[in-house]
């Protein structure tokens, strides 16, 4: 069992006034930026590489390595940008929001360090439009940092200039995808770009750009505080540090928790420090481990650890840390319909398989759920999913961005792992759970 | 042309607001300020009137078509005037597992409306995950977030809207 010995990212969340510069500085805030500014940019990147920090936005890509993809000034003299992804829209995920609300200066300090390492003088934080309060807290923190000379022409009194601007989205899941995010930052609709070229080479305004998640960047100051070796050491496997996960659905204590990556899904669901199990008599039927884009797991698969590489054997992913738990009285066809409907709504419409396939799957699932389904529909579902994502469980198939796969893989996994439930709906001509498809906590009280 | 869009005071506030936004972008990239410019317009007018979008196009050095394309892509922009209260209820999976469908039905019944109908007082909508999954169910009223909702808490919110 591994309950986290010390919290790293959420360490200061409980402290009164933590979102203000005064309190943040009183407890050592911005000392790590000061330290980093005395190193060379290459040394800073090297530390981040050594720490084994991996992207918390969903893909788990090694952060230091990503930073080295930005071409040298000799090869490419254009300005470079840092774009922080605060779009947090992956269903099941609620973590970045708390960093913005409870410890915004931690993110800003990380931004300072990252900008210096990248030679970027401009950072845009793209936050989802629905974050009224978190965005207000962040804007206040940015203003304080400017007033204190942390940002501006001479950041922390050095020759290095750093400009930081928050840009608020306006309601579109697709803008969390990094190239759609860049389009949106350029003032356009969020249509993902074909890759390559990758943003590190051709990004915002055609310039080299690194896109990183909020939690990723907020981890950076901790690496300089306690050392890259320490950060790598508290991780698991090739993943450094701790991570924030959100447990939702059928558990007794839903919440956002910081965990060691040695923690298993089972521990997260049942331990007293975390989800505190299910109500008496209820058991786990299914778990989505990393946001709704991550293929579903059965109760037999929840000994998987919350580390980025650990989900490969079960054909799923750690993703964005959004763990959604469904109990034994829940209708999984109804659950999958909610997921499929989401991808149908949020498809940007550029690629035919995604634009046409996602709504088609949603309609088929709805039909089955309402008792209008036929046995052939199950195979049609799998066919449509395969048409969008021909190479399960991973990899871009026939579409420009990974939203295509993100919508298709849940369908494939739900149908193949719980086929009996789909067949039961068809045989019965309706839902076996009757009027209460949502499980133990599914009624509004 | 009928009524002017802004009073003179509003117009200068709008001009200043846009000018301030433009300082955050490279000088040859004015059209990048599109999202914040539309947000500013909507904050002032409650929606995006055509005349306002024309002004945005002009100030950002782009076409009205480009502005419409953005305005219609994002769900938080209103190209038609919304009811006094826009109520966005998350019905995505984590919230549905904690009663969101029932909450939506309860709202429809209490407010005598249907989700998706833009009435003069209430514009009730189903929305996607609001990053409040562990504090479900949740909704936003005119962008103010409310979470861990129960019938009791919701009744208080409804009372607040019905006075
Ligand atoms: C459809 C889609 C939605 C995404 N949404 C988010 C998001 O809301 N937040 C986020 O940080 N990354 C999101 N990502 C991942 C980003 O594309 C990108 O990989 C990430 O921001 C990189 O940061 P990281 O390396 O620090 O994880 C999304 C990806 C896809 C395909
Ligand atoms: S896969 Fe879907 S969301 Fe992604 S670019 Fe294509 S149509 Fe748009
Ligand atoms: S599913 Fe409703 S807030 Fe995430």
């Amino acid at each position: 069992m591994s309950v986290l010995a010390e919290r790293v990212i959420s360490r200061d969340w409980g402290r009164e006034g933590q979102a203000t510069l005064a309190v943040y500085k009183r407890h050592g805030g911005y000392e790590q930026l000061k330290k980093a500014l005395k190193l060379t940019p290459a040394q800073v990147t090297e530390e981040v590489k050594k720490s084994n920090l991996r992207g918390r936005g969903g893909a788990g890509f090694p952060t230091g390595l990503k930073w080295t993809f930005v071409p040298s000034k000799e090869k490419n003299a254009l300005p470079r940008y840092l774009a922080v992804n605060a779009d947090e829209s992956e269903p099941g995920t609620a973590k970045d929001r708390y960093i913005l609300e409870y410890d915004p200066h931690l993110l800003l300090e990380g931004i300072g360090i990252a900008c210096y390492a990248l030679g970027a003088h401009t950072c845009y934080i793209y936050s989802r439009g629905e974050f009224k309060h978190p965005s207000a807290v962040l804007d206040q923190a940015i203003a304080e940092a400017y007033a204190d000379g942390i940002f501006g022409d001479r950041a922390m009194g050095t020759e290095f200039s750093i400009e930081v601007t928050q840009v608020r989205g306006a309601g579109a899941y697709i803008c969390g995808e990094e190239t759609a995010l860049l389009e949106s930052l350029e003032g356009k609709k969020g249509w993902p770009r074909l890759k390559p070229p990758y943003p590190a080479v051709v990004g915002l305004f055609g310039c080299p750009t690194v896109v990183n998640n909020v939690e990723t960047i907020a981890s950076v100051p901790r690496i300089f505080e306690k050392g890259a070796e320490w950060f790598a050491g508290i991780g698991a496997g090739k993943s450094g540090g701790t991570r924030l996960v959100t447990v939702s659905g059928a558990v007794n204590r839903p919440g956002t928790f910081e965990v060691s990556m040695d923690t298993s899904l089972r521990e997260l669901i049942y331990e007293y420090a975390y989800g505190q199990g299910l109500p008496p008599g209820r058991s786990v039927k299914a778990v989505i481990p990393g946001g709704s884009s991550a293929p579903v797991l059965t109760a037999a698969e929840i000994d998987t650890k919350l580390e980025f590489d650990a989900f490969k054997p079960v054909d799923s992913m750690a993703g964005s840390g959004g763990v959604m738990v469904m109990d034994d009285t829940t209708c999984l066809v109804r659950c999958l319909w909610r997921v499929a409907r989401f991808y149908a709504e949020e498809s940007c419409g550029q690629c035919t398989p995604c634009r046409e396939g996602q709504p088609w799957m949603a309609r088929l699932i709805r039909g089955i759920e309402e008792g209008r389904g036929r046995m052939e529909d199950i195979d049609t579902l799998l066919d449509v999913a395969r048409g969008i994502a021909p190479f399960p469980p991973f990899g871009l198939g026939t579409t420009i961005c990974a939203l295509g796969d993100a919508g298709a893989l849940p369908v494939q996994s739900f149908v193949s792992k719980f086929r009996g439930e789909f067949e039961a709906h068809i045989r019965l001509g309706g839902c076996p759970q009757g009027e209460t498809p949502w499980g133990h906590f599914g009624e509004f009280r | 042309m009928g009524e002017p869009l802004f009073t003179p005071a509003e117009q200068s506030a709008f001009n200043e607001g846009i000018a301030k936004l433009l300082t955050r972008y490279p000088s040859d990239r004015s059209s990048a300020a599109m999202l914040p410019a539309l947000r500013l317009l909507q904050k002032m007018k409650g929606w995006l009137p055509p005349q306002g979008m024309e002004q945005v196009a002009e100030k950002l050095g782009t076409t009205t078509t480009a502005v419409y394309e953005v305005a219609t892509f994002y769900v938080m922009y209103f190209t038609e005037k919304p009811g006094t209260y826009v109520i966005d209820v998350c019905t995505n999976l984590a919230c549905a597992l904690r009663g969101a469908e029932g909450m939506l039905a309860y709202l429809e019944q209490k407010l005598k409306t249907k989700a998706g109908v833009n009435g003069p007082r209430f514009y009730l909508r189903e929305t996607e995950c609001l990053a409040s999954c562990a504090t479900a169910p949740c909704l936003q009223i005119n962008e103010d977030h409310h979470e861990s909702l129960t019938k009791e808490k919701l009744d208080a919110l409804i009372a607040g809207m019905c006075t």
Side-chain angles (χ1 to χ4, degrees), chain B residues 16-33:
Chain B
E16 271 167 42
I18 301 273
K20 206 166 142 208
L21 289 175
L22 290 176
T23 64
R24 307 311 296 167
Y25 295 94
S27 52
D28 57 343
R29 298 283 182 174
S30 299
S31 65

Side-chain angles (χ1 to χ4, degrees), chain A residues 55-61 63 66 85 87-90 96 173-174 176-178 211-214 216 401-403:
Chain A
R56 305 294 197 247
F61 195 84
T63 307
K66 187 188 269 189
N85 193 338
D87 196 54
E88 186 151 79
S89 306
E90 172 75 14
D96 297 338
Y173 166 67
I174 192 58
E177 195 280 334
E178 56 186 7
V211 183
N212 272 136
N213 171 261
V214 167
T216 311
C401 91
L403 186 144

Side-chain angles (χ1 to χ4, degrees), chain A residues 81 88 91-94 97 124 128-130 132 146 163-165 167-172 174-175 184-190 205 246-249 251 254-255 288 324-325 330 334-335 338-339 341-342 345-346 438 441-442 444-445, chain B residues 24-26 29 31-36 39 66 69-70 73-77 91-94 96-104 106 126-135 137 140-145 147 149-152 154:
Chain A
Y81 291 97
E88 186 151 79
T93 316
R97 160 190 170 190
Y124 292 102
R128 65 177 298 179
E130 294 87 346
K132 183 176 176 179
Y146 268 101
E163 294 292 332
V164 178
T165 305
V167 175
R168 296 181 61 192
I174 192 58
C175 290
S184 188
L185 273 179
E186 290 184 4
K188 298 180 236 166
K189 62 180 188 259
F205 307 133
T246 312
V247 192
S248 62
V251 293
I288 294 177
M324 294 187 274
V325 181
T330 308
R334 185 72 158 250
C335 291
R338 279 286 166 199
V339 173
R341 182 184 175 275
F342 169 74
E345 288 281 326
E346 299 297 330
W438 290 112
F441 294 100
F444 183 57
R445 287 174 228 271
Chain B
R24 307 311 296 167
Y25 295 94
R29 298 283 182 174
S31 65
M34 183 78 81
L35 271 77
R39 181 174 279 279
E69 192 174 64
V70 173
F73 183 82
Y74 298 91
V75 299
M76 289 180 73
Y77 294 133
T91 52
N92 212 308
L93 181 54
L97 289 165
R98 304 295 287 204
E101 286 189 0
M103 181 166 83
L104 183 72
Y106 188 74
E126 278 187 78
T127 191
E128 302 302 349
C129 178
L130 291 168
S132 194
C133 319
T135 43
Q140 300 198 332
I141 301 174
N142 293 345
E143 295 187 26
D144 284 323
H145 188 71
E147 58 192 17
L149 291 170
T150 56
K151 255 186 198 154
E152 200 182 326
L154 190 59

Side-chain angles (χ1 to χ4, degrees), chain A residues 174 192 347-351 354 399-401 403-404:
Chain A
I174 192 58
S347 166
C348 84
Q350 264 189 114
C351 323
C354 176
T399 57
I400 292 173
C401 91
L403 186 144

Side-chain angles (χ1 to χ4, degrees), chain A residues 29-64:
Chain A
Y30 290 104
E31 288 302 317
Q32 308 318 314
L33 174 56
K34 203 185 277 172
K35 216 190 269 176
L37 287 167
K38 292 194 183 114
L39 304 173
T40 66
Q43 283 173 322
V44 174
T45 303
E46 191 50 37
E47 284 301 295
V48 174
K49 258 179 147 171
K50 270 197 297 193
S51 75
N52 285 349
L53 174 63
R54 295 171 68 168
R56 305 294 197 247
F61 195 84
T63 307

